[in-house]
Amino acid sequence: MDIVSLLPQFGGFIYTIIAFVVALSVIVAIHEYGHYIVGRWSGIHADVFSLGFGPILYSRVDKRGTRWQIAAFPLGGYVKFKGDANASGGKDEETFSTLSEQERRTTMNGAPLWARSATVAAGPVFNFALSIIVFTLIFMSRGVVSEPITVGELRPLPDMQELQAGDVILEIAGMETPSFDDAEGFDTFLNNLPEEPTLDYTVERDGSELVVEGPYIYPPLVTQVIPRSAANDAGIEPEDVILSINGDPIFAFEQLRETVEGSEGAPLELQLWRGGDIVDVTLEPRRTDEPQADNTFKTVYRIGIAGGMFFDPATEAQSPLDALSNGISQTGRIITGSLSGLWHMITGAISTCNLSGPIGIAETSGAMASQGTQSFIWFIAVLSTAVGLLNLFPIPVLDGGHLCFHAYEAVTGKPPSDRALRILMSIGLFVVLSVMVLGLTNDLFCP
């Protein structure tokens, strides 16, 4: 075996691991800091704040007596509060019995119910807050499309075109260009465009109105490659232009979509234009369960690319309030989509292969990092929402399970018995480990 030939794959593996560790560390740090800081505000003392498990690589004790440490295995983290038996919580009976009433108030088990509940809930809440902040900042940096639609930066295409940056598009093929914000009107406009390789664009340029030729507004141009997709595995890259499928020339992204969906998974031969070079690839579309507007799922064939217009529209600044609203909405869409997907997997409406494990998440981390800083940060925000949601599930050992215990205590006036807690925690641990094994199995065996 040629060892040198393995170096690119080895380098990619290291890159993927680094991206995964960075993404997970950020999310875990935010989650555990939520527990720590709300606990501190609530009068609960933290003995240890650990990022990672296992042997300690670095630690220091702050002026409040909390040990901050980084451990060797960066696959999670924890906050150990005063009086806890271990990193998972639970009462250290021996230590607890030696504390005064005032000292017990500074422990998790001796604090009032409201303080314990707030401290537990803070982890997922901080994950959601991170997602909202990141999405808000990204929406602010992207801005909103200027009205009327104006050509920003032209994307590279194999054919020369007459449009220029700064052109204000008034009409395409004799039809007035609608507002980009009017999604329904814009979709109707696109559906009514003539399906031709070139179209007439009426533009305003330097104060004058003129007609120039340009490509179909949504050409078969790759703007994004989905991680762990057929396109990603075949080596397709952003900015590739698909010239033909099985020898048949195409000029519109819709032609690509129709061919892929009608392929039933049969291999497709694609000819690509990549910066002046011609590249041939063969791939097999994969069955995918896609969420619909009515929260159902539809099984379709996809190769895993996204398209866009042949130019980046000029943008203008988005107000912080609008960006914040969009950030909250984006987080909400991830939550509802995740819950819908989980329910449809439980009911058998879609395949359990939609659930990824650590290998799949690591591969996605590396792929998103390779597509740029903003894509990677966006992925961290998506994953942070998923982690926050997962921790709210009413499963013992998760934050949601502890909140259920606190709710029981609020209703009955006393916490569940130690024996009941031990049994429930064992069941919860079994459920969590089973889901992890399922995800890992999917990573290894699902197509």
Side-chain angles (χ1 to χ4, degrees):
M1 181 179 292
D2 183 3
I3 300 297
V4 174
S5 67
L6 295 178
L7 290 179
Q9 289 91 331
F10 180 75
F13 173 76
I14 295 298
Y15 185 80
T16 294
I17 294 300
I18 291 174
F20 176 60
V21 169
V22 169
L24 187 62
S25 296
V26 169
I27 293 167
V28 168
I30 291 295
H31 181 94
E32 298 302 333
Y33 187 77
H35 290 315
Y36 162 79
I37 193 64
V38 173
R40 199 182 88 186
W41 291 340
S42 303
I44 303 173
H45 175 73
D47 287 337
V48 179
F49 185 110
S50 180
L51 191 59
F53 300 97
I56 307 304
L57 303 178
Y58 167 82
S59 71
R60 71 173 182 86
V61 179
D62 65 16
K63 62 182 180 180
R64 294 184 176 84
T66 300
R67 179 178 297 278
W68 299 75
Q69 63 186 38
I70 298 176
F73 305 116
L75 299 177
Y78 62 88
V79 177
K80 182 178 180 293
F81 291 104
K82 185 176 180 179
D84 286 352
N86 49 52
S88 300
K91 185 190 295 185
D92 183 348
E93 294 288 356
E94 184 177 344
T95 300
F96 200 79
S97 63
T98 64
L99 301 177
S100 66
E101 195 65 33
Q102 185 176 2
E103 290 174 322
R104 290 182 180 183
R105 171 59 182 84
T106 64
T107 68
M108 174 64 90
N109 291 283
L113 181 59
W114 68 265
R116 285 178 279 143
S117 299
T119 301
V120 170
V125 169
F126 269 55
N127 281 133
F128 296 144
L130 171 65
S131 301
I132 292 171
I133 291 170
V134 168
F135 289 140
T136 298
L137 293 176
I138 291 178
F139 285 132
M140 288 183 65
S141 68
R142 287 179 178 175
V144 293
V145 175
S146 301
E147 296 291 353
I149 296 176
T150 303
V151 178
E153 182 179 352
L154 290 164
R155 292 183 168 129
L157 292 176
D159 299 320
M160 296 295 292
Q161 52 185 293
E162 300 176 8
L163 279 87
Q164 300 177 7
D167 284 350
V168 178
I169 300 179
L170 306 176
E171 294 180 354
I172 303 177
M175 296 188 297
E176 184 178 350
T177 309
S179 169
F180 196 77
D181 286 337
D182 180 8
E184 185 176 347
F186 201 80
D187 285 343
T188 301
F189 170 76
L190 293 176
N191 291 334
N192 290 331
L193 280 178
E195 293 188 357
E196 298 176 3
T198 58
L199 299 172
D200 288 335
Y201 288 76
T202 303
V203 301
E204 182 181 311
R205 180 185 299 169
D206 299 327
S208 301
E209 189 173 306
L210 63 156
V211 178
V212 296
E213 270 196 351
Y216 191 81
I217 190 168
Y218 277 95
L221 167 71
V222 180
T223 59
Q224 183 182 7
V225 180
I226 309 302
R228 307 183 70 213
S229 65
N232 186 72
D233 293 346
I236 294 179
E237 301 174 1
E239 296 192 354
D240 284 350
V241 180
I242 300 173
L243 301 178
S244 66
I245 307 176
N246 294 334
D248 297 325
I250 62 171
F251 59 85
F253 195 88
E254 181 65 15
Q255 293 173 301
L256 171 66
R257 185 187 66 79
E258 290 175 353
T259 302
V260 169
E261 288 188 352
S263 68
E264 296 294 322
L268 299 176
E269 296 179 0
L270 307 183
Q271 186 176 80
L272 313 175
W273 181 88
R274 181 179 294 166
D277 297 325
I278 301 299
V279 179
D280 294 315
V281 301
T282 301
L283 49 72
E284 295 182 9
R286 297 174 183 171
R287 290 185 58 176
T288 304
D289 296 312
E290 291 187 350
Q292 306 299 303
D294 58 357
N295 286 329
T296 61
F297 279 77
K298 179 182 179 182
T299 299
V300 293
Y301 283 89
R302 293 285 184 259
I303 61 174
I305 64 173
M309 292 188 287
F310 65 89
F311 62 90
D312 284 322
T315 60
E316 53 191 31
Q318 186 175 30
S319 74
L321 280 180
D322 287 341
L324 176 61
S325 176
N326 289 333
I328 294 172
S329 297
Q330 179 64 35
T331 303
R333 283 193 292 271
I334 295 171
I335 292 173
T336 55
S338 299
L339 292 174
S340 176
L342 178 62
W343 173 250
H344 283 82
M345 278 190 282
I346 292 172
T347 59
I350 62 175
S351 170
T352 55
C353 284
N354 287 279
L355 178 68
S356 294
I359 296 176
I361 296 173
E363 290 179 349
T364 304
S365 299
M368 295 302 286
S370 69
Q371 295 186 28
T373 301
Q374 189 175 104
S375 294
F376 183 54
I377 293 175
W378 182 277
F379 170 72
I380 289 177
V382 172
L383 191 57
S384 182
T385 301
V387 169
L389 177 62
L390 174 64
N391 272 277
L392 283 178
F393 286 175
I395 301 172
V397 311
L398 298 181
D399 293 332
H402 288 288
L403 289 174
C404 288
F405 297 153
H406 295 333
Y408 174 87
E409 183 178 347
V411 173
T412 65
K414 59 181 181 180
S417 67
D418 290 341
R419 181 173 181 275
L421 284 175
R422 284 194 298 270
I423 294 173
L424 290 171
M425 294 293 277
S426 298
I427 295 173
L429 182 61
F430 174 78
V431 171
V432 170
L433 291 177
S434 298
V435 173
M436 291 177 63
V437 169
L438 174 61
L440 183 60
T441 303
N442 289 346
D443 291 340
L444 297 174
F445 302 109
C446 282

